[in-house]
Amino acid sequence: MVYDYRLGFENNRSDWYKLKTAKENNNKFKALIFPDSQSNDYTEWESLAMNAWQNNQDSDFFINMGDLVDNGYDLVQWNGWFDGVEPMVNNIPVAPVQGNHETYTTDWQVAMPNVYLEMFKLPTNGNDKYQNQYYSFDYGDVHFTVINTQDDEMAEFEPDLLNEQIKWLENDLATTDKKWKVVLMHRDILNYGREAKPLGDEISFSRHGEIYMPIFDKYDVDAVLTAHLHTYRRRALIRDFAQNEQGTLYILTGVAGNVRYPSLWHKNPLDEYVPPQSETNNYLVLEADENSLTFNCYLPDSTQIDTVTLTK
């Protein structure tokens, strides 16, 4: 279904735009997925987003995996983000994921992500206190669950966030009747070695990996997308903290802004695909149909560098 809409306040009105909504009884759809768009200049973000949109105008919605901006209280940066996704955001919905940079004030102190929380009107989660922080939605036969991984940084302001979110998450995953379950979360599930802190061949899981991966196993989550580290990695299927062909697909989605960490992270033993280093920006396209989910990864010039398909 397509709606015509415009925005206005007092005597001011925008132009009319068209907005697509979920296709009725159609399990075939396409979604654009953008990693961290965090930038100090949003020119590259705009170039990447618009190239992805021009090549995928049949997309039904798009996802941004957190750290949308470098500083969550800087309205100039939010203007840069929104300018970068126009006209895409005028025509299809966005599913945002909260990142740690959404919680930073202009003097780089951690605070409630008040600007982010006012920017988007997201599906309700049954708890007004945490509205717009975590949520879920269905599209076709896919249930998307969006987690807030900022419970550690926000503990001073919301000490019960983690426990409340876990209770909500378990209920959310247990009660969906959709064929596919996909989780979106900003922070990653693995720890990575780097020059100052090598891990060698050790497989090490992050705090959020240790918390959430048993829940994903329990409810047979099909795919989990993460961000935060500004690198693209596709992992082996994982279950019970080990490679397992019956496990969940985990993809660290990469980087979409101009803040990069070239060649910083060592390869983790669970990484199945790592792009050539040093990395540039990238985006993903999710294509869903009756029996499969396909994740394709592209460079800014739309060169495909990776693909993986789940079937059921």
Side-chain angles (χ1 to χ4, degrees), residues 245-277:
E245 290 305 310
Q246 304 304 311
T248 299
L249 171 66
Y250 290 87
I251 298 177
L252 176 57
T253 53
V255 58
N258 72 349
V259 177
R260 301 178 191 147
Y261 310 127
S263 303
L264 176 62
W265 312 111
H266 292 174
K267 190 175 186 297
N268 188 290
L270 289 172
D271 291 337
E272 283 207 335
Y273 175 77
V274 180
Q277 303 297 303

Side-chain angles (χ1 to χ4, degrees), residues 255-301:
V255 58
N258 72 349
V259 177
R260 301 178 191 147
Y261 310 127
S263 303
L264 176 62
W265 312 111
H266 292 174
K267 190 175 186 297
N268 188 290
L270 289 172
D271 291 337
E272 283 207 335
Y273 175 77
V274 180
Q277 303 297 303
S278 301
E279 294 182 63
T280 183
N281 292 354
N282 67 277
Y283 67 92
L284 290 83
V285 178
L286 166 61
E287 297 186 70
D289 62 25
E290 292 288 344
N291 300 306
S292 67
L293 295 181
T294 298
F295 298 87
N296 297 308
C297 183
Y298 297 94
L299 297 178
D301 64 0

Side-chain angles (χ1 to χ4, degrees), residues 170-240:
E170 293 221 37
N171 181 69
D172 179 75
L173 295 176
T175 56
T176 180
D177 61 356
K178 296 300 181 181
K179 182 175 184 177
W180 300 95
K181 299 175 185 177
V182 175
V183 171
L184 311 174
M185 53 190 285
H186 180 65
R187 291 187 183 271
D188 191 41
I189 50 96
L190 291 179
N191 287 325
Y192 278 89
R194 52 189 187 271
E195 294 304 325
K197 188 181 179 182
L199 292 176
D201 293 329
E202 176 186 351
I203 297 177
S204 176
F205 294 90
S206 71
R207 172 177 169 270
H208 289 97
E210 292 173 349
I211 291 170
Y212 288 114
M213 292 174 74
I215 299 174
F216 302 155
D217 290 350
K218 179 179 179 181
Y219 295 101
D220 296 317
V221 170
D222 298 287
V224 176
L225 306 183
T226 65
H228 188 59
L229 299 183
H230 297 206
T231 182
Y232 179 85
R233 310 285 170 107
R234 173 170 52 82
R235 286 63 180 269
L237 301 182
I238 304 172
R239 190 175 186 88
D240 295 326

